[in-house]
């Protein structure tokens, strides 16, 4: 049987092959690089729905109270939800034909909401429901401007073969910045925990009393924090994977559970671990077949890999060998007649009526 169709070519955006129809027959040939492809429909509606759903759930948690054991279990469950859903939101939001103008607009809108909320809280010192609403707005703003920044940076990446070097470098640098106690970032986080919590996205915590009734300004009612760098780098990778038709679906399916497991490790160890490491590993494992590097690109990638290992090794070494300097006793204590610290091995002071 033969097929007589007048159109010379018909291509599908979901495959890498196209049908070339010639008079009298139909034959499947590989799609050329310049063959037209149908644009993917935007998935921004799912991003908006996820954003609204997270906001409503975060607000609802403020009205929940539970016994301590149940509250901890619910908090851990919510932690998983508030990691998986934001990743799904960034995945959907990145599946859009972004241009510089809309990306900058989304970035500025999210940044304005974020900064405005922080300034309003500092000026008014709210409590209860107004503070919970501010927390909802602040965390929503982080997801908004991170998507805008990620989409904007993704437009700079013209070749997908640049991604292995970028992922390696960011992972190594993140290890150094997070683990080394000597970096300005680590010292800033330790000395200004409230400032870091204002910048990061958090997972809400269920309390033994409803937060809407007990929340005071300056009181933290969050469990885990995810830095904005982790979120916008994930948005960058998703946007680039969509643009170059890489393994975006497989990456998203593995990235969410990997980050949940990584956050559980943070909770068990109590250590501040760099989240760009699992993000880079999942991206590399799921997409390594997509890269066809030339000789020069391989050499450049190896150089970046050596630099990344150097950064990571230096950060781990600093974390293992660092000893905080001893703090001298405050002069005010000695002058006021307070008892100096007892030497090691001496018995602890006892309360009245208690035997040593």
């Amino acid at each position: 049987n033969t097929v007589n169709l007048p159109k010379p070519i018909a291509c599908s955006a979901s495959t890498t092959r196209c049908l070339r129809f010639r008079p009298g027959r139909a034959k499947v040939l590989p799609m050329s690089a310049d063959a037209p492809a149908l644009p993917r429909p935007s998935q921004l509606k799912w991003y908006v729905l996820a954003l609204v759903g997270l906001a409503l759930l975060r607000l609802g948690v403020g009205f929940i109270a539970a016994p301590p054991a149940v509250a901890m279990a619910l908090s851990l469950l919510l932690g998983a939800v508030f990691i998986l859903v934001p990743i799904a939101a960034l995945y959907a939001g990145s599946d859009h034909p972004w241009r510089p103008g809309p990306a900058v607009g989304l970035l500025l809108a999210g940044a304005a909401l974020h900064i405005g909320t922080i300034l309003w809280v500092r000026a008014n010192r709210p409590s209860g429901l107004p503070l919970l609403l501010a927390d909802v707005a602040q965390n929503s703003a982080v997801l908004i401007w991170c998507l805008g920044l990620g989409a904007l940076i993704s437009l700079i990446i013209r070749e997908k073969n640049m991604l292995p070097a970028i992922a390696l470098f960011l992972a190594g640098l993140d290890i150094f910045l997070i683990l080394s106690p000597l970096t300005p970032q680590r010292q800033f986080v330790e000395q200004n925990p409230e400032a870091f919590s204002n910048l990061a996205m958090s997972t809400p915590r269920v309390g033994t009393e409803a937060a809407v009734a007990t929340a005071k300004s300056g009181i933290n009612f969050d469990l885990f924090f995810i830095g904005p760098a982790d979120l916008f780098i994930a948005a960058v990778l998703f946007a680039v994977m969509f643009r170059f038709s890489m393994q975006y679906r497989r990456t998203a399916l593995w990235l969410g559970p990997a980050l949940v497991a990584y956050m559980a490790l943070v909770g068990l160890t109590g250590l501040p671990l760099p989240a760009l490491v699992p993000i880079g590993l999942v991206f590399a494992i799921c997409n390594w077949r997509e890269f066809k590097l030339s000789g020069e690109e391989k050499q450049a990638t190896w150089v970046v890999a050596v630099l990344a290992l150097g950064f990571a090794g230096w950060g781990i070494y600093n974390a293992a060998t660092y000893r905080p300097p001893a703090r001298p006793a405050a002069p005010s204590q000695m002058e006021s007649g307070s008892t100096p610290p007892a030497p090691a091995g001496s018995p602890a002071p006892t309360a009245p009526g208690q035997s040593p």
Side-chain angles (χ1 to χ4, degrees), residues 28-208:
V28 178
L29 298 175
M31 186 171 63
S32 61
D34 58 349
L38 298 176
R40 292 177 55 85
S42 174
Q43 302 298 320
L44 276 181
K45 61 180 180 181
W46 299 111
Y47 167 77
V48 174
L49 287 175
L51 205 63
V52 173
L54 286 172
L56 294 177
L57 181 58
R58 186 181 296 274
L59 184 62
V61 171
F63 293 88
I64 298 176
V70 177
M72 178 55 66
L74 290 177
S75 297
L76 294 176
L77 178 61
L78 284 171
V81 171
F82 276 84
I83 293 174
L84 294 173
V85 177
I87 293 298
L90 293 175
Y91 171 84
S94 301
D95 191 5
H96 179 77
W98 286 103
R99 295 292 181 267
V104 171
L106 190 66
L107 169 61
L108 295 178
L113 177 60
H114 195 174
I115 296 173
T117 303
I118 294 174
L119 294 179
W120 181 82
V121 170
R122 289 184 177 180
N124 296 276
R125 313 299 292 179
S127 62
L129 182 58
L131 182 59
L132 288 178
L133 291 173
D135 184 64
V136 170
Q138 183 175 313
N139 281 274
S140 301
V142 174
L143 275 180
I144 294 172
W145 71 259
C146 282
L147 176 61
L149 181 60
L152 185 63
I153 294 178
S154 71
L155 298 176
I156 303 175
I157 302 175
R158 300 297 183 182
E159 295 289 339
K160 65 180 181 180
N161 287 340
M162 298 169 58
L163 292 175
I166 294 174
L168 285 171
F169 180 78
L170 291 177
L173 183 62
D174 197 37
I175 293 175
F176 172 72
L177 292 176
I178 297 298
L179 295 185
S180 176
L182 305 176
T183 60
Q185 177 180 347
R186 177 69 178 271
Q187 294 179 2
F188 172 80
V189 171
E190 291 180 351
Q191 297 173 6
N192 305 276
E194 184 179 355
F196 172 74
S197 63
N198 286 335
L199 293 174
M201 189 194 73
S202 64
T203 64
R205 179 179 62 194
V206 177
T208 55

Side-chain angles (χ1 to χ4, degrees), residues 337-353:
S338 300
T339 304
S346 60
T350 58

Side-chain angles (χ1 to χ4, degrees), residues 302-320:
W302 277 111
V303 170
V304 173
V306 171
L307 291 174
L309 286 175
F311 276 124
W314 184 242
I316 294 172
Y317 174 79
N318 286 337

